[in-house]
Amino acid sequence: MTSAPASPPTAAAVTALDVAAIAADFPILAEQVNGHRLAYLDSAATSQKPLVVLDAERDFLTHANAAVHRGAHTLAAEATELFEDARATVAAFVGAQPEQLVWTSGATMGLNLVAYSIGNAGLVRPGDEIVTTAIEHHANLIPWQELAARTGAVLRHIPARDDGTLDMDAAASLIGERTRIVAFTHVSNVLGIVNPVADLIALAQQVGAITVMDACQSAPHLPLDLPALGVDLAVFSGHKMLGPYGVGGLYGRTPVLESLPPFLTGGSMITTVTLDRAEYLPPPQRFEAGTQPVGPAIGLAAAVRYLDGVGLSNIHAHESMLAERMHAGLVDIPGIRLLGDAEGVERVGLWSFDVDGVHAHDAGQYLDALGIAVRVGHHCAAPLHTRYGVTASVRASAALYTSTDDVDRLIDAVAGIRPYFGV
Amino acid sequence: MTSAPASPPTAAAVTALDVAAIAADFPILAEQVNGHRLAYLDSAATSQKPLVVLDAERDFLTHANAAVHRGAHTLAAEATELFEDARATVAAFVGAQPEQLVWTSGATMGLNLVAYSIGNAGLVRPGDEIVTTAIEHHANLIPWQELAARTGAVLRHIPARDDGTLDMDAAASLIGERTRIVAFTHVSNVLGIVNPVADLIALAQQVGAITVMDACQSAPHLPLDLPALGVDLAVFSGHKMLGPYGVGGLYGRTPVLESLPPFLTGGSMITTVTLDRAEYLPPPQRFEAGTQPVGPAIGLAAAVRYLDGVGLSNIHAHESMLAERMHAGLVDIPGIRLLGDAEGVERVGLWSFDVDGVHAHDAGQYLDALGIAVRVGHHCAAPLHTRYGVTASVRASAALYTSTDDVDRLIDAVAGIRPYFGV
Amino acid sequence: MSELDALYRELILDHSKHPQHFGLTDEGDAPAVAGTIGTSHQKNPVCGDEITLRARVEGETIADVQWEGRGCSISQASASMLADLVAEEGLTRAEAVTLIEGFREALRSRGTLELDEEVYGDAAALSGVSKFSARVKCAMLAWVALEDAIAKA
Amino acid sequence: MSELDALYRELILDHSKHPQHFGLTDEGDAPAVAGTIGTSHQKNPVCGDEITLRARVEGETIADVQWEGRGCSISQASASMLADLVAEEGLTRAEAVTLIEGFREALRSRGTLELDEEVYGDAAALSGVSKFSARVKCAMLAWVALEDAIAKA
Ligand SMILES: Cc1ncc(COP(=O)(O)O)c(C=O)c1O
Ligand SMILES: Cc1ncc(COP(=O)(O)O)c(C=O)c1O
């Protein structure tokens, strides 16, 4: 099974970003770190947040803060409207209806919600199979290991090829009659490759398996239309897409959300409660027990409005260009090995690499001394690193506010690492 | 079994609050609602937040934001220090050590974490008993109903007396050999009475049951020393104690936390991960899967510093005085019935009441027209309302920024409700 | 207090104190008179308001509406007014559906749409609710119940 | 780059490239020579650094330390320097515990405490790590392993 070669956005369809103007909306990017202007290349871990996001939350807290869905008073009604408008805005950002968007505290929470809820529903039995991939973030791996352990199901992994792409032939033979769930990431947080998710969804649909997509690393970088994609469930994290910490989204196709029982229980998700039993509201409230992250949700709505204002196609084109520039600069530096160096695939602006003879931690420290913030370690994807024969790597990741200058500084600095450590 | 009569703080030991100065730190309290200055009497639903809290979060996001525990770069190290300092601050606020404080997204999440983790540990078997009370918030009731349903355990409820106090004789006979868990609220969010939690803990300890305390409505109002109290596990919500939305705390006695398996799984809570299994870090990290609410946690630390600055004993004395003033004013208004009207008990500044012949929703609407924000409904404690023969009530709840003027306006307004509706 | 008075019109308080067509005759699902019966139970989980509404449909015409419930004056008045309206007008199913749609639209309009008294009778007095977003559910409760009941009848 | 150079002193890079006492002789828990043996495996979950350290204790004296591991230059150099120190000084258990405590304190001091070269030998060069809070764990890894190993021996 092969998918059509990915077509990177063409220059004609998009507008070049005014990165300087964008960066001005992010005060932290003007900070000096170790005597150098910060080159923040760790957006895949957490993005920086524009002032409009901070202001939206502060405005809410200083003018309209009150418990939502719970009071008749004016502030409570205002807060409820702002909160539900935020839901509609964030839902629309991924092409969905408001009632298809469940607030969570983040992607990890969203994936755990899905795994536990499917478990509580009794949809997975001994001998059933859960299929994930060999390149997942721990958040889309361990919850399935635990679900398998709780239910007696078997966990299987779609392998990755040496070039970082998923082995879709293997996927086609792994996904079969016994498969109940197929869970995969849209974009790996280590490889930066956009996976052939439509093909995975088609395979899963043939056998009636539930599809679960981790959209953490795609939501801030490419246009998403989740209903059009046909995925059953998908998660993303606010803090990785210019939004506040403490909020995330779970998208679900309506019949799938309706078929799932609650995960967390408590206030605001019930119809009737006696001392001995409770009845539950329909989605999305069924999955939203207790006080929701109202301020963060309103901040996240401001974040996706900001992203939409710049335009996701424009952002994707800009970041694809940065990915190419990074690749071109890094690939020829002696001793640098790029992970997932497949050609002709669609990518986000992210590369992880190994520096021969220098531990990732030391390499990162060297870059930090030059004001360049990267991430080092296994990036919560230990099995992927094992697959590529390393325990840790250096990762540089971009966002819409990343400039070609940031990338050029990175390339120059990486060239200095091995000489500095005398290897 | 009887507990020593609660001694309200004496005037000698405390300093009167300068409420005007405190209110000036909360910009929203200067807002006009329906042509009147806002009298915010809905703090039990969610508190307002002082500027220092908003500023702490904003400072962090504009100067030091980066992923914690995950990077070698300067910002990441700074962010990690701020985040762990916040943990130490919030832990100290309840008398605990940093490693006894687990971040959660709120109290509901904390209680679900405890219920699922105890379930995952296999500590509850068919026929075992879980004891809670008849006055719990749904967040400390439904998770136990669900745990009982998943495990075949039996859920029992300590009844409340007509005056709103717990029937401790019944508690003594309910808590027995088969009891595995005793879960109770420190202060009910409807009755405002401080429960004899030390006595409940003593009863539970006699039979070796795990104690779980809901401290949502005590943490912002009275001095807490959880280790001295001897409770095993306790939860609270940031947004109810001057802090941001999206963060809460779970306190655990060290041996209890160490005995519990993870609940949510994902990144940052593991030691070793292969495709098929994971090993987990010790507490508190074991319970903190994925990106934590870093900004909100830093905000919450600022909130508890603010509370400590005013002094919890002073706050408790102020709010006790407000509770008395409310009681004195409301008790004589014809047709007003106060819920939980026990005498001589320790209280927070909160009263719920029924207005004869006027639905709570209509009463709340009337108060709102006068700029007085109260909560109406069952306040996520439906069984408690059933117990007292009503489906909904009006609740007025105070915080450290609540003035005697706010309370007097409430009393005057309540007197006008029945006349307005012609009953 | 003009905003409040616009919400609690005299007519609304009257209906809530003297609810019309209140009480379910105990005929179950097998009507003694002609037609088919649909019953709907609706609940507002926030405040605990509840309504049980029963519609009897003869052919395409709604012959009769009865209801029982408890809750705030808005929810009770709205049910009473709706029952009156159906009794007076002898609506068809289709007319009722259109009416309910119009009512919903006006109530969600945040004060921009007024209900026509010619069409909605006493229920037109509920227009003021649309400015109080937290109360829209209260006013809608009976109308959602009717929608559901006639679909079942 | 003076801060960075203060972290990566020549001595540190030397030890990391030529680790001392590296390699575990395959004697298991039953030493061919005298004494009791304690082995500790320590791991830094963030970056995957690992160390296995084995201490042989004769009476109260630490006779021998061997280790194996992989990781960043700080963690490897620190292990090498610690093994050297133990070999040179012939420490008692109690002395080792005091030494480890002092090392921990200095490393957590955020740059306010310096390790004494007289006491810590080459390991004193690790003082600079204390300014880099994210690297303190790397430097501590071997020392925590020794603490654990002698407790077991
Ligand atoms: C007593 C009590 N317990 C638990 C909760 C739940 O807290 P949260 O909604 O912040 O999770 C609340 C507040 O709603 C409460 O008042
Ligand atoms: C691909 C991917 N999935 C899941 C997560 C988990 O997100 P969070 O930590 O916000 O829950 C991350 C980020 O850490 C990620 O990059």
Side-chain angles (χ1 to χ4, degrees), chain B residues 280-295:
Chain B
Y280 302 115
L281 282 167
Q285 277 78 23
R286 183 189 298 162
F287 303 105
E288 296 179 347
T291 303
Q292 294 301 296
V294 186

Side-chain angles (χ1 to χ4, degrees), chain A residues 105-122:
Chain A
S105 58
T108 301
M109 175 67 198
L111 291 163
N112 277 274
L113 188 168
V114 167
Y116 270 103
S117 177
I118 289 177
N120 288 350

Side-chain angles (χ1 to χ4, degrees), chain A residues 58 65 74 146 245 280 368, chain B residues 55 65 74 146 245 280 368:
Chain A
R58 195 182 182 96
N65 177 49
T74 301
E146 292 285 332
Y245 289 96
Y280 303 115
D368 183 55
Chain B
D55 289 345
N65 177 48
T74 302
E146 292 285 332
Y245 289 97
Y280 302 115
D368 182 53

